[in-house]
Amino acid sequence: MFPPYGSYGLVQMLVQWVLLSLCIVPLGRHMARLYQDKPTVLTPFLLPLERRICALAGVDAQKGMDWKTYALAALTFSAMGFILLYVLLVTQAAHPLNPGHLPGLSPAAAFNVTAGFITNTHMLLGASPGAMTTLSQAAGLTVQNFLSAAVGMSAFAAIARGITQRDRSTLGNFWLDVVRSCLYVLLPLSMAYAGAVATSGIAEVVQAHLWANPSGNGVLPDAGSVNLLVTHTGALLNANAVQFDDTASLTLRVLSFMSLVLIPAALSYAYGIIAKDWRQGAFVLAIVAVLTLPALVSRITDPLAIFTTAFAGGYAVVLYGLIAALVITPLFQSLSRSAVGARRLIRFDIVMAAVALLTPCLVAGACVGLMRYVDRHAFDAAGTTILYSALSLVLLFGRFWVMIPALAIAGSLSSRPS
Amino acid sequence: MSGMARQHVYREIMACLRPGMVMLAIFTVIFGVGYSLSMAALIDNGFAAQTEGSLLRDASGRVIASTVTATTVGKPEYFQGGTRLDPTISLDAALAQVSRIAAQRHMSAFRLRELIDRSTRNSTYNTTRGLYVNLLELNLRLDGKLE
């Protein structure tokens, strides 16, 4: 029924859905407290570090941002990360710790990989993992794994606050949100994830693959460096983790599922808490689930699966869900009283919502059509590069085209008292 | 966009540069260096049994084989079963082949069970899997290449 589940089938499905349900409650609660400036379980340990980082960066944690400032900060920070990673990849030949003397990536390949990581989709488009030096991986890819996730989560926090909170006229501080997302959520989660993945046999599978296909490095990376990537390790082998499904243990498959789905699902749950309305949280969660489903049930080579994996990985699905919830909420409220109260949507809001909601559909359709076309016609190397570049642009577009209108709506709502 | 608005946007972008660069630098250190190294250290040392076991080394430390790719398929004097990427068999499957191997190699069943015992593992998380035997390790031990 579901091809990627292979021999574990129903057991895997049961385990991962149960595990997910168990995890999103504490994580969602933690996130809701974090993004509403309330103390969390980790605050006593991390607050000094958070303050130190903000001080070094010249960030005034009390200073809120309106939506334009927030959006600009998010874009600028993403652009800076993009430039840094791009330069790192292109200059690989000059890296220290490069025993295999791997050359720099071509500009196109570097662009595609960078776009993949800046949008939090972890796709090594058109480049093989053997082409990455240790430095690229550690200082470049791993760092962007975290930061791009943090940017997505911060956007969510700002939008959630803008939609739900009446007593403040700003969306919060982007830099503070990024620091908090990294320290309080991503770092602890990744440490747990890396430990779990490392001990469940992934090292053996990856080492076997590398032994059979020696990378340009000339040395077999030890398991520690292999497991540095935060999300599904399939990305290391230039494929989704689904590739491992024929061979991976149950633990690995469940972990790779969680790595894709946990944060978006927990964010949806957190929204329900922030909005003080579980039905809205459930609605967002339902949208996220529906949009992520193709990624989970199709073979990874299916273009729709690729796109939805990317859409989900970029957390754009959550923002999408938020906007949809926002549009649907007046309907809810006309049926019963809700804690958020009635929100009048002006034409600006509607236009922004339409832009954000409809455009990704068009883009997804174009993307799927493009890839199905490619499947039927063999492409040479140049054609493939062009295709991957087009896909990279699609990924970038899909992320920011949803984020910015969503922030606009949040800003518009927060600047009007009722 | 009017001149003033453009200037405003320009100023906003400039205002992002310092926090942006500082954050990139700090998080590159935290995640790129700190996280990477500490995870590598933790995984290599704390979980060595799970992660190092797949590459076998001889007495001098030189890597002699990957345990995961078995090359003894089809030869009756070796233990059989398993696939390329999961070269393990259940303990029962290994024990069932003892008599055949003992006859082929003129080794005692007792000695074979000893070797099997050394190559047997338990699964870290999967409590229903039971004990399993790593095939290549076992076959290397048969050949005396691994102690």
Side-chain angles (χ1 to χ4, degrees):
Chain A
M1 188 166 63
F2 295 120
Y5 289 105
S7 52
Y8 285 113
L10 290 175
V11 174
Q12 180 187 346
M13 280 185 63
L14 194 67
V15 169
Q16 67 190 21
W17 290 108
V18 165
L19 194 60
L20 182 70
S21 314
L22 288 176
C23 288
I24 62 174
V25 174
L27 185 59
R29 286 213 187 120
H30 176 71
M31 286 175 171
R33 296 181 68 89
L34 185 69
Y35 294 129
Q36 289 183 288
D37 275 332
K38 294 184 187 151
T40 68
V41 118
L42 294 174
T43 307
F45 308 101
L46 294 172
L47 192 58
L49 183 59
E50 174 194 319
R51 291 228 173 101
R52 180 67 70 84
I53 295 179
C54 288
L56 274 175
V59 168
D60 177 4
Q62 304 303 323
K63 192 171 82 135
M65 296 180 171
D66 66 353
W67 79 264
K68 292 188 189 130
T69 313
Y70 203 101
L72 206 56
L75 279 175
T76 310
F77 188 57
S78 299
M80 290 167 73
F82 191 99
I83 294 172
L84 178 63
L85 181 58
Y86 185 86
V87 166
L88 259 182
L89 290 176
V90 165
T91 59
Q92 272 193 153
H95 288 177
L97 299 175
N98 189 1
H101 299 293
L102 291 170
L105 292 184
S106 70
F111 177 83
N112 295 333
V113 172
T114 309
F117 276 77
I118 289 291
T119 53
N120 204 38
T121 54
H122 321 291
M123 292 195 160
L124 287 172
L125 296 170
S128 79
M132 307 288 160
T133 65
T134 313
L135 191 70
S136 295
Q137 284 196 23
L141 301 181
T142 305
V143 172
Q144 285 309 321
N145 259 332
F146 284 98
L147 292 181
S148 59
V151 169
M153 291 160 72
S154 303
F156 161 85
I159 295 165
R161 285 191 289 249
I163 294 177
T164 58
Q165 285 169 359
R166 313 295 211 72
D167 54 347
R168 52 196 294 178
S169 56
T170 68
L171 297 184
N173 188 306
F174 172 73
W175 306 109
L176 185 63
D177 287 335
V178 165
V179 172
R180 285 187 171 161
S181 305
C182 283
L183 292 182
Y184 291 78
V185 181
L186 295 175
L187 199 53
L189 275 184
S190 314
M191 287 165 66
Y193 181 82
V197 167
T199 53
S200 43
I202 184 61
E204 298 185 348
V205 180
V206 177
Q207 276 178 332
H209 177 95
L210 291 172
W211 181 267
N213 311 286
S215 71
N217 264 328
V219 287
L220 287 174
D222 62 283
S225 62
V226 155
N227 283 311
L228 294 180
L229 291 185
V230 171
T231 55
H232 34 261
T233 50
L236 187 65
L237 294 180
N238 208 22
N240 186 274
V242 170
Q243 168 179 298
F244 285 127
D245 275 347
D246 293 337
T247 60
S249 63
L250 179 65
T251 319
L252 271 180
R253 296 194 209 182
V254 170
L255 283 173
S256 76
F257 166 82
M258 295 285 277
S259 70
L260 178 69
V261 171
L262 179 61
I263 290 186
L267 287 178
S268 311
Y269 186 88
Y271 181 69
I273 298 178
I274 295 177
K276 297 192 179 69
D277 184 358
W278 71 268
R279 291 164 307 174
Q280 291 187 46
F283 182 77
V284 174
L285 192 56
I287 297 211
V288 168
V290 164
L291 289 178
T292 315
L293 210 54
L296 300 172
V297 303
S298 339
R299 287 238 164 260
I300 190 48
T301 48
D302 188 289
L304 190 61
I306 295 183
F307 184 81
T308 46
T309 307
F311 203 49
Y315 304 152
V317 276
V318 186
L319 305 186
Y320 203 87
L322 285 182
I323 301 175
L326 183 67
V327 169
I328 302 291
T329 301
L331 268 178
F332 273 146
Q333 279 143 7
S334 64
L335 298 175
S336 64
R337 289 181 197 278
S338 124
V340 174
R343 278 293 173 122
R344 268 179 11 257
L345 297 175
I346 61 175
R347 195 182 60 178
F348 176 79
D349 304 330
I350 307 279
V351 167
M352 284 291 154
V355 163
L357 292 177
L358 294 178
T359 326
C361 300
L362 300 174
V363 166
C367 173
V368 170
L370 190 67
M371 298 207 70
R372 290 232 158 102
Y373 177 80
V374 165
D375 275 347
R376 282 196 292 269
H377 303 75
F379 269 67
D380 62 353
T384 314
T385 309
I386 293 176
L387 172 75
Y388 283 138
S389 305
L391 194 56
S392 303
L393 289 171
V394 165
L395 290 179
L396 286 167
F397 176 80
R399 170 170 241 214
F400 295 108
W401 198 261
V402 178
M403 192 188 281
I404 295 173
L407 282 168
I409 298 176
S412 151
L413 283 175
S414 72
S415 66
R416 289 175 288 124
S418 69
Chain B
M1 203 186 287
S2 73
M4 248 190 65
R6 197 174 308 165
Q7 263 223 333
H8 181 72
V9 170
Y10 179 75
R11 255 206 311 269
E12 293 274 3
I13 295 181
M14 287 294 128
C16 291
L17 288 189
R18 177 182 165 193
M21 286 200 286
V22 167
M23 299 235 175
L24 277 177
I26 291 184
F27 286 119
T28 300
V29 169
I30 292 184
F31 292 124
V33 178
Y35 172 76
S36 306
L37 289 180
S38 41
M39 283 299 108
L42 179 72
I43 291 168
D44 285 345
N45 295 312
F47 298 116
Q50 282 86 356
T51 57
E52 262 305 308
S54 91
L55 284 181
L56 298 173
R57 301 167 194 275
D58 64 12
S60 66
R62 192 167 51 96
V63 175
I64 52 174
S66 160
T67 57
V68 189
T69 50
T71 52
T72 55
V73 178
K75 301 187 185 151
E77 65 270 23
Y78 288 100
F79 284 89
Q80 301 298 322
T83 62
R84 185 174 72 89
L85 284 180
D86 181 24
T88 62
I89 54 178
S90 70
L91 185 56
D92 290 336
L95 292 172
Q97 301 183 44
V98 164
S99 52
R100 185 190 83 232
I101 309 261
Q104 289 269 337
R105 288 179 170 253
H106 310 291
M107 292 168 71
S108 72
F110 177 78
R111 173 93 184 116
L112 286 174
R113 277 197 283 274
E114 222 180 39
L115 297 181
I116 290 176
D117 206 51
R118 281 215 213 115
S119 318
T120 305
R121 299 261 149 64
N122 209 341
S123 180
T124 311
Y125 289 109
N126 188 346
T127 52
T128 59
R129 187 180 181 186
L131 295 169
Y132 63 92
V133 182
N134 186 297
L135 213 51
L136 185 57
E137 263 189 54
L138 179 57
N139 284 330
L140 284 172
R141 288 195 165 106
L142 269 185
D143 284 342
K145 289 183 186 153
L146 195 68
E147 101 306 328

